[in-house]
Amino acid sequence: MSFLDALKEIFPASALRFDDASREEYGRDESDQGTHLPEVVAFASNAQEVAALLGLCQRERVPVTPCGARSGKSGGSLPVRGGVALSLERMNHILEVNVEDLTATVQPGVILGDLMKTVEAKGLFYPPDPNSWDWCTLGGNIAENAGGPRALKYGVTRDYVLGMEWVVPTGEVLRVGKRTIKGVAGYDLVGLFVGSEGTLGVATEITLQLLPLPRAVCTALMLFSELDGAARAVSAILAHGILPRTLELLDPVAIRALEGSGYHYPGGTQAALIFEVDGSAEEPLLAEVARAAAIAEEHGAREVQVAQGTAQREKIWEGRRQVSPSLRKLARHKLSEDIVVPRGKIPEMIAATHAMGARLGLTVATYGHAGDGNLHANVLYGGPEDLPRVQEAMATIMRHAIRLGGTITGEHGVGVAKRRFLQLEQSPELIDLQRRLQRFFDPAGIMNPGKIFPDAP
Ligand code: LAC
Ligand code: ZN
């Protein structure tokens, strides 16, 4: 039987697309890494279909690239070697929210924002909040081990995954992990699979840990006339024993980008921090905001606006979420980094990034999750003629982050965008060990090939 006939035995006709428009659509994502056409797009509706597809592709040596909303920033869902784009977006049911156990069980195509709203309506809280929460899927969050602003206090996706139904690249369906908070039986395969960027298999069901919804939240926007002051305020606030749930930074380029998108900051604002605390009552939170504001003012903050109510808070966050799309309007292209440095090194990293931009004559925006040291350095450029300088800028930023004790990616993953930089951070022995692990799970090398690791020497 031909591969195509076998595919048609696994999926109904309505779940297979071969037309050019669909292949183009599923050949792109949010990473600015070009279009890579799959031969076919297959829409799974259950684990058995996923398992049968992976088994078939393993036998026939056909590449499979899983995808959800394709909101990823490192090209994780790009079918760079063609083959099958396996979409999980139709598996989009929230299967259970268990108030007594504080767990939720979901299919991989559930939109993160839908889960957030559903559990919040029951007084529960799912903290990981990548900025694409209103359209990214939980399967993608699992694949990339997504983080977001609240990672500062609450950690990242991995910290909430208790167990999964997982299809390995050879087509077996496994249950990994558990449904309880504690549990140490066997190897931590959940830890291995979460963040494996689609190379070690596919989640077909996910059980997540939830928390009680904080009863009070307080958000402040701190405005600075100098970027360096804002960067130092981040370190100072954290060093004074305050643990906000977010501490986000916007630099002058990010602020300029927002101006054109309808978000206005007072004239002369060169940097902003979004400080947010949560807890069980409002009064102690206001005291924390006052302490943080005093520290910010010592570091040159000229204005601190405390959000009055949900609408004002949402407006502040809407501005933050618009940074990435707004930067696109300043230049034809942008490459987005998500390096992390130890928190004490945040001011140094920001200064080095801007100095590097000035030296190379490139506009670089630095913004993001400054509180956990995770900065989005975005290099803006006009066209292919700028690429050599852009590549140099990226390499410089990553080398600097590593020199300061950091890492090349805090939340977006390595994907295709950063695979040639992995060796800046990891030894050849470590990369080789991971390649062997990959081969163990995926002998034919069909699962999201061309990702994470540089091509073998
Ligand atoms: C953000 C995305 C780019 O934080 O991670 O805006
Ligand atoms: Zn981010």
Side-chain angles (χ1 to χ4, degrees), residues 109-175:
V110 169
I111 306 283
L112 172 57
D114 291 344
L115 174 70
M116 287 171 156
K117 285 175 210 143
T118 302
V119 304
E120 283 171 24
K122 293 177 189 285
L124 297 170
F125 185 39
Y126 180 71
D129 59 342
N131 269 320
S132 50
W133 57 260
D134 60 350
W135 65 293
C136 65
T137 63
L138 279 149
N141 290 185
I142 298 289
E144 301 296 327
N145 192 8
R150 299 197 290 232
L152 173 57
K153 178 172 176 181
Y154 288 107
V156 297
T157 303
R158 166 68 192 102
D159 300 309
Y160 294 85
V161 184
L162 298 175
M164 297 187 286
E165 181 184 71
W166 186 267
V167 186
V168 287
T170 38
E172 292 86 16
V173 184
L174 306 175
R175 287 244 162 221

Side-chain angles (χ1 to χ4, degrees), residues 217-360:
V217 181
C218 196
T219 311
L221 181 66
M222 302 170 167
L223 304 173
F224 293 76
S225 39
E226 273 182 76
L227 174 61
D228 187 56
R232 288 182 195 287
V234 170
S235 302
I237 287 170
L238 297 170
H240 277 74
I242 300 173
L243 181 58
R245 75 174 184 182
T246 76
L247 190 46
E248 297 279 308
L249 172 96
L250 306 182
D251 82 346
V253 183
I255 286 172
R256 182 151 57 87
L258 284 179
E259 286 290 325
S261 307
Y263 294 90
H264 181 69
Y265 292 95
T269 303
Q270 292 293 323
L273 295 178
I274 304 173
F275 174 94
E276 188 167 274
V277 273
D278 65 2
S280 51
E282 197 160 331
E283 233 166 76
L285 297 186
L286 288 171
E288 289 291 88
V289 171
R291 285 181 66 204
I295 297 168
E297 276 154 16
E298 275 167 37
H299 290 80
R302 27 185 251 162
E303 195 177 326
V304 175
Q305 302 173 354
V306 181
Q308 308 294 322
T310 314
Q312 284 188 10
R313 168 177 318 122
E314 188 39 43
K315 185 141 195 279
I316 292 174
W317 282 110
E318 181 55 28
R320 166 64 182 86
R321 277 195 295 279
Q322 286 306 320
V323 172
S324 182
S326 300
L327 284 169
R328 281 192 195 285
K329 294 185 194 139
L330 290 189
R332 294 248 306 281
H333 300 277
K334 84 178 168 82
L335 277 179
S336 158
E337 280 320 310
D338 70 319
I339 49 110
V340 193
V341 292
R343 290 181 264 196
K345 299 285 194 288
I346 293 164
E348 193 177 334
M349 187 67 219
I350 291 173
T353 305
H354 282 256
M356 183 270 314
R359 180 170 62 79
L360 292 173

